[in-house]
């Protein structure tokens, strides 16, 4: 198609995706109160007639006049983006897919098919760890002080934890894709195992705001397991690639091994003599011209 047709198709695809997000967002506005209760379920709220003192409980509040409106729109929009993701992701795929080759489509299907469950598993794990994280953070409140939390801050903290855990679970998938494209080998990834484990546990300690090792192990343990699974897959894929192409692991400036085994020389094939030049015609019989031996004269 010409460029104008591509731009028109992109506009139509974007319009369909935006309409799907708006439709789900409008429906989510009706259930916004239930969504906010679900996303703040990890906070131990104070029962009626119970005051917040130290880390026993917390009061979730709106700190500004416009906070109820902005938080409601934020929660509904996030729900619209997540729930309508199959629609706008399909529109994006339908626009890009015609320009991909068959093997590229195969890799894309495999990537999406593995990325969605991994992200969902990370998000679910974050939601399970959130109550522990919140309780540990609230326990640091000194006695005589009340915990009055902004609902917007609680929602931001929840979304940040879910996104971080979900994206962290995509690390092994990225390593596998780099191996399939030939950028990284399984042997090289295996050589990084000490640094990777140290980095994963350090990342888990920083990103999970708990003083106990439960949150760190809950994040670093599965990622470490997934990392070694990705390394095992890459090693097996490298062996398969080496069987099909022995020179697959060589760098561009590295020479391949040559087979220098001598081979037997077969019977010499006779070559017909070339037509003699005018000055060579008849010279072989008189001896005055160049002497020819097997179609080559002595000058040659």
């Amino acid at each position: 198609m010409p460029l104008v047709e591509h731009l028109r198709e992109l506009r139509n695809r974007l319009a369909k995706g935006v309409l799907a997000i708006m439709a789900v967002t409008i429906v989510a506005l009706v259930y916004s109160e239930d969504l906010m209760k679900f996303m703040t379920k990890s906070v131990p709220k104070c029962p009626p007639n119970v005051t917040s003192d130290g880390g026993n409980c917390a009061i979730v509040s709106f700190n500004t006049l416009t906070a109820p409106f902005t938080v409601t729109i934020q929660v509904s929009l996030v729900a619209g983006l997540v729930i309508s993701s199959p629609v706008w992701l399909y529109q994006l795929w339908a626009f890009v897919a015609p320009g991909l080759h068959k093997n590229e489509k195969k890799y894309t299907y495999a990537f999406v098919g593995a990325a969605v469950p991994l992200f969902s598993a990370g998000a679910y794990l974050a939601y399970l760890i959130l109550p522990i994280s919140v309780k540990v953070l609230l326990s640091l409140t000194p006695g005589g002080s009340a915990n009055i939390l902004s609902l917007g801050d609680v929602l931001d903290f929840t979304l940040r934890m879910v996104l971080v855990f979900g994206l962290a679970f995509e690390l092994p998938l990225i390593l596998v894709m780099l191996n399939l494209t030939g950028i990284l080998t399984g042997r090289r990834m295996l050589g990084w195992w000490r640094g990777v484990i140290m980095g994963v546990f350090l990342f888990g300690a920083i990103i999970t705001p708990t003083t106990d090792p439960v949150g760190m192990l809950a994040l670093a343990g599965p990622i470490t397991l997934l990392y070694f699974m990705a390394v095992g897959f890459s090693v097996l894929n490298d062996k398969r690639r080496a069987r099909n192409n022995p020179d697959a692991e060589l760098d561009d400036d590295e020479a391949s091994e040559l087979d220098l085994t001598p081979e037997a020389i077969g019977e010499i094939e006779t070559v017909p003599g070339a037509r003699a030049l005018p000055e060579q015609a008849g010279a072989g019989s008189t001896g005055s011209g160049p002497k020819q031996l097997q179609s080559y004269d002595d000058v040659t």
Side-chain angles (χ1 to χ4, degrees), residues 49-295:
N49 301 325
V50 176
T51 58
S52 175
D53 186 9
N56 62 334
C57 61
I59 300 173
V60 180
S61 64
F62 295 102
N63 296 334
T64 61
L65 183 63
T66 59
F69 174 77
T70 56
V71 171
T72 301
I73 296 297
Q74 178 185 359
V75 172
S76 302
L77 184 59
V78 170
L81 284 171
V82 173
I83 298 176
S84 65
S85 58
V87 178
W88 56 266
L89 285 177
Y90 169 77
Q91 297 300 326
L92 179 62
W93 170 253
F95 178 75
V96 176
L100 300 178
H101 296 288
K102 185 177 181 180
N103 60 334
E104 294 172 342
K105 291 182 180 179
K106 179 180 67 175
Y107 286 142
T108 305
Y109 286 138
F111 182 84
V112 174
V116 173
L118 287 175
F119 186 88
S120 301
Y124 180 71
L125 181 61
Y127 191 77
L128 293 179
I129 295 177
L130 271 172
I132 302 175
S133 303
V134 172
K135 288 181 180 179
V136 171
L137 292 175
L138 292 179
S139 65
L140 301 177
T141 305
S145 301
N147 287 300
I148 302 177
L149 307 178
S150 171
L151 182 58
D153 293 339
V154 174
L155 296 178
D156 290 340
F157 178 77
T158 303
L159 291 176
R160 190 180 302 113
M161 290 285 291
V162 169
L163 289 176
V164 168
F165 272 64
L167 294 177
F169 270 57
E170 304 292 341
L171 173 63
L173 181 60
I174 295 175
L175 295 178
V176 170
M177 294 302 297
L178 291 176
N179 176 260
L180 291 176
T181 55
I183 299 176
L184 279 179
T185 61
R187 184 180 301 176
R188 179 175 298 180
M189 286 189 287
L190 185 60
W192 296 344
W193 71 272
R194 295 180 180 86
V196 170
I197 292 179
M198 178 64 68
V200 167
F201 274 86
L202 183 63
F203 174 76
I206 295 174
I207 204 63
T208 53
T210 58
T211 56
D212 59 282
V214 176
M216 179 185 66
L217 292 176
L219 177 61
I223 295 179
T224 303
L225 178 61
L226 291 173
Y227 166 75
F228 281 108
M229 291 175 61
V231 171
F233 174 86
S234 300
V235 171
L236 294 178
N237 184 58
D238 291 340
K239 291 182 179 180
R240 178 193 62 81
R241 187 181 298 164
R243 287 195 300 267
N244 298 333
N245 181 13
D247 301 333
E249 296 184 1
L250 295 179
D251 295 333
D252 295 337
D253 56 350
E254 186 177 357
S256 60
E257 295 183 2
L258 299 178
D259 187 7
L260 302 178
T261 304
E263 296 181 357
I265 300 177
E267 184 180 356
I268 299 176
E269 181 181 358
T270 58
V271 180
R275 182 180 300 178
L277 297 176
E279 58 270 17
Q280 296 174 334
S285 59
T286 61
S288 58
K291 184 180 179 180
Q292 291 187 354
L293 180 62
Q294 293 187 2
S295 303

